[in-house]
Amino acid sequence: MSTVQSALTLRGDRKSGQAVRTQNVMAASSIANIVKSSLGPVGLDKMLVDDVGDVTITNDGATILQLLEVEHPAAKVLVELAALQDEEVGDGTTSVVIIAAELLKNADELVKQKIHPTSIISGYRLACKEAVKYIQEHLTYKIEDLGEDCLINAAKTCMSSKLIGADSEFFSKMVVDAATAIKVENKGQVIYPIKAINVLKAHGKSARESLLIKGYALNCTIAAQQMPRVINNAKIACLDFSLQKVKMKMGVQLLVSDVDQLDQMRDREMDITKERINKILATGANVILTTGGIDDLCLKYFVEAGAMAVRRCKKQDLKRIAKATGASFITSLANVEGEETFDASFLGEATEVAQERISDDELIFIKGTKARTAASIILRGPNDFYCDEMERSVHDALCVVKRVMESKSVVVGGGCVEAALSIYLENFATSLSSREQLAIADFAKSLLVIPKTLSVNAAKDSADLVAKLRAYHNSSQTKKEHAGLKNCGLDLVEGAVRDNKKAGVFEPAISKVKSLKFATEAAITILRIDDMIKLMPEKGEEKSYQQALARGEL
């Protein structure tokens, strides 16, 4: 053992046992404390300034943690956890980090009381499993029973904590309309690909003057002013190459002995692109979108044909347009035989392509796409920070609406689920006679951090409110005549407990289930660590220019 120890002490330091566990819990808690105050409808925003001086003002847990350059390995687990929740669900990123940190804190206390981490881990796993089961059996509501309003309410609940919370009525309707516009049926399953919704930002006017457009909005303009601004019954070609004068590849040389041949070469260079353009136009294409550039020389051919050409489009935008219109995204005109061809089947169709002016910018709208419906949201706001935060808020709300419509189930928000689970798991823990009892009781206690943080952020008395909330939920689970109290949650404006189902505070059930699972897994991952070996970076031999020259290495 001594040899291993000495080998390790040569190039690194080692911490083990309680020291490393406490250090990890401290790191997790400090990450949670950063985002804690941004939870809930009255949460506060964070201003983050990076090394270049770019400012981001946000309330979104995942964005805050991604912009922090976290060094500690255990804290990185929580940053990745928030990113995972953002990717999977889109909402609940702050609460998942807070729950994970609280689970770790309570687990650390149990370890100090000489309870083995393995017992705590198995207790946490069991508690998580029971909690998910209880949510699905007792706390979820189907959309069919609640009516279509619950979609708007779920979007409102998501936006209530964001910058656009004041206009949540307006934006929630817009988000639900946008999500329903892009509904796609795939093998009997209905999916809502929210990536098909293009969110653009434009300065000026107020947030309430944001628009929803049925169709795809492209943040580009026509390449030449002589081109038509509106084309009906558009045949759209999506190209991923430049339509410019052909230049010789690097390293290719042509030796010419005759001056006439030089002119022929130049003419041929121009003709190659002309032939390509004619092949595309011959199929009946009247809207050409390309990711590359188009020469002034080549623009002439499009203007003469009365076609609309748009250059320097984003690749991502073109792929979405190709999907929506049924076009093929063409990277080269070469076919299997090595000849250049362009087939009419590569074209997509739309009823109208038009260039319109929005604020100071000209945008191209593609309306009535053939293969799939598309929608675009144009956000208006006073400055960059506001528009960026609006975009993040709208994205979160779109994710929430998508999850609700796909899973067809919601739960009541405002700390209701956490309080109900806390009471249920406490009673469940007392029914066990094994070592996991204490871990499950602590899991139940940890969940209360959400209603506590919500009430603290709202400047209310958290001890009083959480005690009332627990009393209501305990009564609903023990007395049959009080079963209706299971929908009780916090009203953070009045500082009281109310029926949040009637108040229309809803969240996607999948959001709660996933955040519990993810938080438990992250806590278990960090809790399993009892040894940390950190290697020192190797110091290479510093070589100077003179030494290298003397050795003849240069």
Side-chain angles (χ1 to χ4, degrees), residues 422-455:
S422 171
I423 297 290
Y424 171 70
L425 289 174
E426 269 180 14
N427 295 335
F428 175 69
T430 49
S431 68
L432 291 177
S433 55
S434 59
R435 266 176 293 180
E436 283 86 15
Q437 182 184 1
L438 289 165
I440 293 173
D442 269 29
F443 190 99
K445 193 172 87 180
S446 304
L447 291 176
L448 289 175
V449 73
I450 297 292
K452 271 180 195 163
T453 310
L454 285 173
S455 43

Side-chain angles (χ1 to χ4, degrees), residues 365-394:
F365 295 122
I366 299 168
K367 294 173 185 170
T369 50
K370 178 188 144 191
R372 285 184 180 182
T373 48
S376 299
I377 294 174
I378 296 170
L379 298 174
R380 311 302 303 269
N383 53 34
D384 271 343
F385 313 129
Y386 200 94
C387 287
D388 288 344
E389 180 60 3
M390 277 168 76
E391 186 184 16
R392 280 188 287 270
S393 310
V394 166

Side-chain angles (χ1 to χ4, degrees), residues 40-58:
V42 271
L44 305 172
D45 288 4
K46 309 279 178 216
M47 181 189 269
L48 301 147
V49 185
D50 67 5
D51 46 3
V52 190
D54 285 346
V55 179
T56 309
I57 299 171
T58 182

Side-chain angles (χ1 to χ4, degrees), residues 95-322:
S95 50
V96 75
V97 172
I98 294 171
I99 293 172
E102 195 67 18
L103 287 172
L104 276 172
K105 207 188 282 179
N106 286 334
D108 193 43
E109 293 300 319
L110 286 178
V111 174
K112 284 176 184 167
Q113 291 168 26
K114 300 283 180 285
I115 290 169
H116 199 277
T118 311
S119 303
I120 300 170
I121 288 169
S122 60
Y124 274 7
R125 283 229 165 95
L126 182 59
C128 179
K129 197 173 159 191
E130 284 296 321
V132 169
K133 197 166 127 194
Y134 188 78
I135 289 177
Q136 286 166 346
E137 285 175 8
H138 296 91
L139 300 175
T140 52
Y141 291 99
K142 291 279 170 219
I143 301 182
E144 292 87 46
D145 308 340
L146 296 170
E148 289 298 309
D149 278 355
C150 73
L151 283 175
I152 290 176
N153 285 333
K156 261 195 214 167
T157 307
C158 169
M159 287 181 194
S160 62
S161 61
K162 310 282 192 231
L163 200 67
I164 53 176
D167 301 322
S168 61
E169 185 87 37
F170 169 75
F171 279 105
S172 54
K173 283 198 178 85
M174 182 189 280
V175 162
V176 173
D177 289 347
T180 42
I182 52 142
K183 178 175 165 183
V184 176
E185 282 197 31
N186 189 10
K187 293 173 189 168
Q189 270 189 324
V190 178
I191 54 167
Y192 297 85
I194 52 166
K195 282 185 179 172
I197 299 171
N198 194 19
V199 180
L200 294 172
K201 299 168 286 192
H203 283 189
K205 296 201 175 180
S206 73
R208 293 189 72 88
E209 292 180 47
S210 301
L211 312 164
L212 169 66
I213 290 155
K214 293 280 194 304
Y216 201 92
L218 193 62
N219 197 4
C220 297
T221 53
I222 49 177
Q225 292 306 313
Q226 297 91 332
M227 288 178 180
R229 286 173 182 264
V230 179
I231 286 185
N232 293 316
N233 298 328
K235 299 270 190 293
I236 301 168
C238 298
L239 312 176
D240 188 20
F241 53 86
S242 298
L243 291 171
Q244 289 175 333
K245 198 172 106 178
V246 178
K247 294 184 181 71
M248 284 296 155
K249 296 277 186 291
M250 291 288 283
V252 176
Q253 279 186 323
L254 286 175
L255 298 173
V256 180
S257 54
D258 189 6
V259 181
D260 294 340
Q261 285 178 328
L262 195 61
D263 286 339
Q264 281 175 349
M265 270 168 52
R266 285 180 183 149
D267 291 343
R268 182 70 194 129
E269 280 179 354
M270 291 174 189
D271 287 348
I272 290 173
T273 315
K274 183 183 176 181
E275 283 167 18
R276 282 182 185 169
I277 291 170
N278 287 337
K279 275 173 189 164
I280 294 166
L281 292 173
T283 56
N286 49 16
V287 176
I288 290 88
L289 310 174
T290 173
T291 53
I294 303 176
D295 260 345
D296 291 347
L297 181 80
C298 304
L299 284 177
K300 182 180 80 168
Y301 306 124
F302 290 117
V303 174
E304 284 168 2
M308 185 191 279
V310 182
R311 55 188 169 188
R312 309 259 177 244
C313 303
K314 282 186 188 162
K315 208 175 208 174
Q316 195 183 14
D317 281 340
L318 270 199
K319 280 183 178 168
R320 288 180 191 168
I321 291 168

